[in-house]
Amino acid sequence: MRYPLIAPNPPRLSEHVAALRRVEASGVFSNNGPEVRAFEAEATAQLFGGQGACLAVGNATLGLMIAIREAAGEHVAGRFALMPALTFAATAQAALWAGLTPLICDIDPADWTASGAAEERLLRDYGDRVAVILPYATFGTAIDLDRYAWLQREHGVGVVIDAAASLGTLDEGGAGFGTGAPFATVYSMHATKTFAVAEGGLIHSGDTRLIDRLRAMTNFGFEAGRSATLPGINAKLPEVIAVMARAKLAEIDAVCDHRAALEAAYRAQLEAVSFQAGQGQRRASQFMPILLPEGLAHRRDAIGAALAAEGIGSGRYFSPHLGEQPLFRRTATILPTPVADAVAGRSLSLPITDAMTVADVTVIATAFNRILAAEARVPARARTNPIASLLIVGGGPAGTAMLTAASKRGRLAELAASGIVIAERDDALGEGRIGRYAITSDSTAETFLSAVKDNPHPELAALVDHPAGRAVGQYVGALGVPLVEAGPFVRATGERLHALVRQHGGTVLTGHEVLHTTRTTGGLWSSRLRRRADGQEFDQLSSAVLVATGGHQPLDRLAAQRVGGVSLVQEVGDRLMQSDEALALGGPQKIVDLLSTKRNPKIVVIGGSTSAIATIVLLLKTQAIPLGAGAITLLHRRPLRPFYPTPEAALAEGFTDFGPDDICPVSGFVYRLAGFRLEARDLVLRQLRVDGRVPDPRLTVHQVSGDDDAIARAHLAGADLVIAALGYRPRALAIHDSDGRNVALAAHHGAAMVDRHCRILDASGTAIPGLYGIGLAAGFVPWGKLGGEASFSGQANGLWQWQNDVGAMIVDQVLGDAARAVA
């Protein structure tokens, strides 16, 4: 006998001919006809005790879209929909269609619903930028709606419950899940659900006026007549589907009771697995979700194949979860989700269908227990990967820049053949987060194209004529390249590098993350890797490790930061935003929305870095912000310096604020490292009034003099929005010594992560043999033949440097060590 995971069982239309004739006779086939209205009234009475009202819709995704849009209110630009990682893609898709950015948080390890602590922390951190909370009643469970009603009141936030699989679920009090809730609860009636029709959805709320508004939104926003007064779409349920829904309603209690008995039998008979903590009196079970033992998560595919061989279907809901899907990695704000990662990596679903019996559950459970026991007896086999010369942790712009440096010197084949391994979290090399920012690069189009132009590898050289290369080429001679254009080019370069590394004997592991690395007694590095798809972990030995994991703006730095003698967090509070958020795609829209009620908004930007000036440039370009004279204030400590190609060029414009130590001895550039370039340079030159330039009247610049700066404090107190551009800290990899103890790094104490040879430093400032770092926030400062002015203090982050001398420095050390090891 075969047991499919899901066996759709909608009512048979052939058994409801009289109802179909009734529809034909009415002449109404849509537009909230009599069958739809009858179904809504019957559902309200039977499922929700006559409380509130119901609205039938074309499908649950449409229901989510209109409910989210209504709950968010008029202003959606730049605002968030807070949702858990473990849910179906439709949840986040509906938020995107409603104009919101998904804000994805972790889940509770017991019931697999949104983590309450994470939700409340994000509501505090993001304030009214969270337009809607969008919890998911995971796998048909009954979540605590009273808590969400409290959050709605406490934070003034919209709430929409995604209860796609919960139509027929009973809460703790025995009422239909969602009964009387003050917000919209959205259910699915898809053919695969327990409440199976063909396609359709249902929205319930205790607020009948809310249902009336949503009904108008399903009909193009027509509240009266044919004039749109609300955001709208066509989301109405056809009359024929309503016939099926009424028939399903008549049997739903019996269907759910039967499925609940099957779930109880599974829970009694399955061995060595974990179950979702149950809530409510009865779940409308669509299938039986379980978690495999941690040690067998990597065998999930094999377990599924063994079940299939015995005629038993299985599934993996929801793996990958939202935070692991490419679209949402590009468009959403994703918080760390370790619990969702673990649950998704271990999840497996077993059949629950209307046709099954408890005896069938016994058959399936017996087979499953036997298969699981057999898998547990299979001895764990260590990966037989040879010892790598180098493990590259991170295949984004910095990690692939080192490969580019090798390719430009004709050493990529040699490097790959030495046995390198690249581990990258995303599904492809190259892009990282570079394409997710709304700003123009501080590197020219010529710099981006120099990575491939005339490259010894024809596959790379051809990228100049690739569509992504041509898109970047349009900006030759311009002040930088929009990063949304640069991202696809860097990704295309990464794809070619991926192929070349594999072609010459290297290993590329996309979809993998490196958890930590440990020094072995033999002097090698043993790094623990995890495959994100299923949680499988394994160790990789290598002679060296290159950390290219990028940088971030930690919240704890804000908590400790003082400006003008006051605590930034205490003084500014919920008016504070970090520059990384402001510069990201959607950042300008968030700022527009935050300032929408301000007639003459005041914005303070803190910092003297490139990101600070880039933030101001972006604000000045955002026409939707009504910026008057002095609307933006830059608070900075160090003098603002423009880049010049020669001292003569600087003097020709009357810029004299430099000396011999400010001139690079290699290139002759003035402020080669400290100077602003491209768009940022133009703005700085205007503010310094160089060569008769006129400052932008919308911008005021104030150099903070010390810890008792009353002017800085006054600007902070009067600001409607404060954007902190305090630089980036490295995402340093956890490093253990040969005894398994954590190694404290210089980066942990605010110092540079690497020395002048790109070697990672411990807390005492000593280089750790075999560990290298590159990229944003690594803290490398060019020296010697690499150039740079003697007066420079800080860190240099430049794609050109990484793709040339800095990357080549690491390549030479790795290949030199490899050659010595062979000798």
Side-chain angles (χ1 to χ4, degrees), residues 643-648 662-673 677 784-789 800:
F643 164 85
Y644 276 98
T646 64
E648 293 75 17
D662 302 319
I663 301 171
C664 171
V666 175
S667 64
F669 296 162
V670 179
Y671 293 122
R672 178 182 180 181
L673 301 179
R677 303 187 183 218
K785 68 176 184 177
L786 278 69
E789 65 268 25
W800 188 88

Side-chain angles (χ1 to χ4, degrees), residues 599-602 620 625-633 696-700:
R599 296 184 61 185
N600 184 25
K602 299 294 183 182
L620 293 174
I625 305 176
L627 299 175
I632 303 173
T633 299
D696 191 308
R698 298 170 293 176
L699 174 62
T700 298

Side-chain angles (χ1 to χ4, degrees), residues 630-657:
I632 303 173
T633 299
L634 173 66
L635 300 180
H636 65 100
R637 292 186 181 276
R638 296 178 182 175
L640 304 178
R641 307 297 195 188
F643 164 85
Y644 276 98
T646 64
E648 293 75 17
L651 295 172
E653 289 198 342
F655 182 76
T656 60
D657 189 14

Side-chain angles (χ1 to χ4, degrees), residues 387 517-527 539-543 736-740:
I387 298 173
T517 191
T518 302
R519 186 74 165 174
T520 69
T521 54
L524 298 173
W525 290 97
S526 177
S527 302
D539 294 323
Q540 172 68 59
L541 286 172
S542 62
S543 300
H736 302 152
D737 62 19
S738 56
D739 294 324

Side-chain angles (χ1 to χ4, degrees), residues 8-11 189-201 237 241 243-246 248:
N9 188 29
M189 301 190 300
H190 189 270
T192 59
K193 293 293 188 288
T194 302
F195 197 109
V197 290
E199 183 68 273
L237 187 75
I241 303 301
V243 168
M244 300 176 71
R246 294 181 71 183
K248 195 67 184 182

